[in-house]
């Protein structure tokens, strides 16, 4: 009985420790080499800060909350890599200007989307290519299987990212469920400008360091990852900024 009590207590403590739960792309795998040529590593002083997507030769789409990490500092974008340490095929481009959405609210996380204008255009090749914006303004249906990718950090309390680009499949969860008491209970409110995606059993998710990375559904860019505090939990799926027509119009206006 004493052993069982000690064992139970140890297990409770283990699950309460915020150690290896939120480490990287949860439950995922390394991407096939150069299969995601649109992926961007946004870096401050040569260190990965956020993910992003090359949507035009001179433009990166990412999350607005990433700007809080480097607002008044010079940042670079690294393209053409799967590994942060093996940069033979890399293109390293400086950011000329940052355009966080003017309506971004870091409390509600509404409008968490930002454009980065590069000082020079990327050279498109087998390692670097653009991911176009969605052609139709359709919502993503509940149950749709999507993919999220990134260089999420390898330790909970470390700023060190995963060296290898990873990906995992997640499933779209309808907003009513996501806003329910069992899930987020309207904190934050998941609006029509957002998408909820995860795994009903947990264990498959994006995490810290993956912010700004793309949510790909049926080969189309449909979302940009918000910041995550808890990762891989059954009733705490990822929340993504949905690429709506309003955001597409905003993107086209700025990049024009």
């Amino acid at each position: 009985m004493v052993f069982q009590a000690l064992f139970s207590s140890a297990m409770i403590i283990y699950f309460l420790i915020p150690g290896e739960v939120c480490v990287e792309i949860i439950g995922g795998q390394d991407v096939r080499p150069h299969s995601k040529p649109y992926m961007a590593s946004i870096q401050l002083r040569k260190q990965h800060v956020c993910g992003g997507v090359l949507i035009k030769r001179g433009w990166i789409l990412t999350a607005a909350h990433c700007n809080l990490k480097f607002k008044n500092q010079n940042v670079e974008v690294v393209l053409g890599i799967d590994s942060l340490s093996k940069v033979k095929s890399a293109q390293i481009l400086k950011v000329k200007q940052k355009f966080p959405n003017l309506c971004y609210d870091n409390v509600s996380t509404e409008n968490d989307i930002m454009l980065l204008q590069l000082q020079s255009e990327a050279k498109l090749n087998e390692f670097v290519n653009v991911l176009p914006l969605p052609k139709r303004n359709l919502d993503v249906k509940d149950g749709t299987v999507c993919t999220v990718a990134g260089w999420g950090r390898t330790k909970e309390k470390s700023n060190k990212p995963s060296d290898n680009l990873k990906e995992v499949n997640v499933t779209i969860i309808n907003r009513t469920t996501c806003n329910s008491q069992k899930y987020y209970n309207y904190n934050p409110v998941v609006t029509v400008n957002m998408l909820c995606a995860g795994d009903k059993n947990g264990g498959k998710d994006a995490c810290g360091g993956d912010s700004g990375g793309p949510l790909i559904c049926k080969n189309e860019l449909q979302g940009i990852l918000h910041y995550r505090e808890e990762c891989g939990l059954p009733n705490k799926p990822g929340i993504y900024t949905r690429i709506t027509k309003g955001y597409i119009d905003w993107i086209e206006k700025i990049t024009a």
Side-chain angles (χ1 to χ4, degrees):
M1 292 295 291
V2 173
F3 173 78
Q4 288 180 336
L6 290 172
F7 178 78
S8 298
S9 298
M11 291 303 292
I12 291 170
I13 292 171
Y14 172 81
F15 284 114
L16 288 176
I17 293 173
E20 295 299 326
V21 176
C22 182
V23 290
E24 52 185 31
I25 286 283
I26 307 297
Q29 60 188 3
D30 289 353
V31 302
R32 183 168 51 84
H34 302 294
S35 60
K36 290 180 166 42
Y38 46 79
M39 287 295 299
S41 170
I42 302 170
Q43 301 190 359
L44 177 62
R45 295 186 291 274
K46 307 298 181 183
Q47 298 296 315
H48 175 82
V49 178
C50 281
V53 191
L54 184 69
I55 56 166
K56 294 186 178 182
R57 289 177 184 237
W59 294 89
I60 300 293
L61 187 65
T62 186
H65 77 260
C66 289
N67 194 42
L68 301 177
K69 302 177 182 181
F70 50 68
K71 187 173 183 180
N72 297 315
Q73 302 181 70
N74 295 323
V75 292
E76 294 179 327
V77 170
V78 182
L79 303 169
I81 59 169
D82 293 327
S83 165
L84 295 176
S85 63
K86 300 174 184 177
V87 294
K88 185 178 180 180
S89 57
Q91 293 182 38
I92 303 174
L93 304 170
K94 293 185 181 299
V95 172
K96 179 180 179 181
Q97 198 166 356
K98 310 176 187 81
F99 295 90
N101 191 289
L102 294 177
C103 296
Y104 169 59
D105 183 340
N106 66 350
V107 177
S108 70
T109 71
E110 187 80 16
N111 304 302
D112 190 6
I113 191 168
M114 176 169 65
L115 285 162
L116 302 179
Q117 184 181 19
L118 304 176
Q119 280 194 358
S120 57
E121 293 187 343
K123 297 177 182 178
L124 304 187
N125 54 37
E126 62 180 306
F127 306 113
V128 177
N129 211 334
V130 299
L131 181 63
L133 297 171
K135 297 177 182 178
R136 297 174 296 170
N137 184 37
L138 297 177
D139 203 355
V140 186
K141 293 182 179 179
D142 181 23
T144 301
V145 177
C146 304
T147 302
V148 61
W151 289 275
R153 63 178 182 259
T154 55
K155 292 183 180 179
E156 173 74 14
K157 295 182 180 180
S158 171
N159 291 324
K160 184 178 180 181
S162 169
D163 184 67
N164 294 321
L165 179 62
K166 295 181 179 294
E167 64 181 350
V168 68
N169 289 337
V170 290
T171 303
I172 297 294
I173 299 169
N174 68 70
R175 295 180 188 90
T176 300
T177 299
C178 214
N179 279 317
S180 69
Q181 188 173 6
K182 186 178 178 181
Y183 282 70
Y184 282 107
N185 196 25
Y186 294 100
N187 184 28
V189 178
V190 180
T191 71
V192 293
N193 292 326
M194 302 175 187
L195 291 169
C196 235
D199 184 87
K200 65 178 182 180
N201 298 316
K204 293 183 178 181
D205 202 356
C207 202
D210 295 320
S211 295
L215 181 71
I216 310 296
C217 307
K218 296 183 178 180
N219 299 316
E220 283 195 333
L221 173 62
Q222 295 290 353
I224 294 294
L225 179 65
H226 282 346
Y227 174 74
R228 299 303 314 280
E229 290 186 355
E230 297 179 286
C231 316
L233 301 181
N235 299 328
K236 292 291 185 288
I239 301 176
Y240 299 78
T241 299
R242 178 181 158 227
I243 309 300
T244 63
K245 184 179 185 302
Y247 289 135
I248 292 172
D249 290 345
W250 171 76
I251 291 168
E252 294 294 351
K253 179 179 179 181
I254 291 178
T255 59

